[in-house]
Amino acid sequence: MFTGLITELGTVQGITRGESSAVFTITAPQSVAGLGLGDSIAVNGVCLTATSITDDCFTADVMVQTLKLTSLSELEVGSPVNLELAAKLDMRMGGHIVQGHVDGVATVVAHTPGEKWAQLDLTMPAELMKYVVAQGSITLDGVSLTVGALDDATNGVSVWLIPETLAKTNLSAKKAGGLVNVEVDVLAKYVERLLKKGVAGGN
């Protein structure tokens, strides 16, 4: 489990692609200090497992299915990636519950800088809009954010990025046409299933 609070902006150092998987090597000197073999780490919001660790890098295997369903397929050597180590039970829950299980990929429509803040407008997959509410939580590339505005007619979602987010994540570099991994609030999905089961069971 994660919180959506990015702990480090890492850099893709190498990508080795195979027929059914790819191996990513990521430079992350801060993260590797607290990372062990087999530990989970979120990379742009995707929960991966560390398969090897050096003084400043770690590697992780990515299955073809994950590449198909997320924006990790867009990464190149030199790409910045948002990183977060798995949460500990004794830490503050500063973001929201993030599983690292990407629900879909959204497309950036516009990135509008402001005096201090920036507005990020996206087009969401239509099937995910029912889980998104104004002032609710959403995870974009692993970053816990608050939904600022919705447009159901266009499947549009807008979020505002504070200076801390702009400085410490890769969302500051997103441009129109770019892709971001989306994880909706898992609580919404649980509520939906409970309601469906309740109706089906006559409760």
Side-chain angles (χ1 to χ4, degrees):
M1 187 185 80
F2 306 92
T3 67
L5 300 182
I6 303 306
T7 52
E8 183 177 12
L9 190 60
T11 304
V12 177
Q13 187 184 83
I15 303 174
T16 304
R17 301 186 185 274
E19 292 185 7
S20 60
S21 65
V23 178
F24 283 72
T25 301
I26 297 173
T27 301
Q30 296 175 40
S31 297
V32 296
L35 190 64
L37 288 177
D39 284 353
S40 296
I41 184 168
V43 178
N44 279 359
V46 182
C47 181
L48 300 178
T49 301
T51 54
S52 69
I53 302 170
T54 66
D55 288 341
D56 62 354
C57 296
F58 71 92
T59 62
D61 296 329
V62 184
M63 298 296 101
V64 165
Q65 187 71 358
T66 302
L67 293 172
K68 288 180 179 179
L69 296 176
T70 73
S71 67
L72 294 188
S73 59
E74 301 283 307
L75 294 179
E76 302 174 344
V77 173
S79 294
V81 287
N82 297 324
L83 302 174
E84 183 188 355
L85 298 174
K88 295 181 179 180
L89 293 178
D90 62 349
M91 69 185 295
R92 288 188 176 92
M93 190 67 181
H96 71 283
I97 296 173
V98 177
Q99 295 182 299
H101 303 161
V102 173
D103 294 302
V105 177
T107 302
V108 176
V109 175
H111 185 170
T112 308
E115 184 177 350
K116 289 185 177 180
W117 301 54
Q119 180 176 334
L120 194 64
D121 300 315
L122 309 108
T123 299
M124 293 277 289
E127 65 273 14
L128 296 184
M129 285 298 291
K130 61 184 177 180
Y131 302 113
V132 185
V133 296
Q135 308 309 315
S137 296
I138 192 169
T139 308
L140 300 178
D141 264 7
V143 184
S144 174
L145 296 167
T146 299
V147 176
L150 293 175
D151 185 346
D152 286 318
T154 62
N155 298 323
V157 172
S158 297
V159 296
W160 281 265
L161 309 177
I162 64 174
E164 181 79 358
T165 303
L166 291 169
K168 294 189 175 181
T169 77
N170 64 7
L171 295 183
S172 61
K174 295 296 181 181
K175 299 179 180 178
L179 303 178
V180 293
N181 292 321
V182 177
E183 181 181 333
V184 297
D185 193 340
V186 67
L187 296 179
K189 293 188 286 185
Y190 277 124
V191 169
E192 178 187 51
R193 178 163 174 78
L194 286 169
L195 289 173
K196 285 183 177 179
K197 296 293 286 185
V199 170
N203 297 323

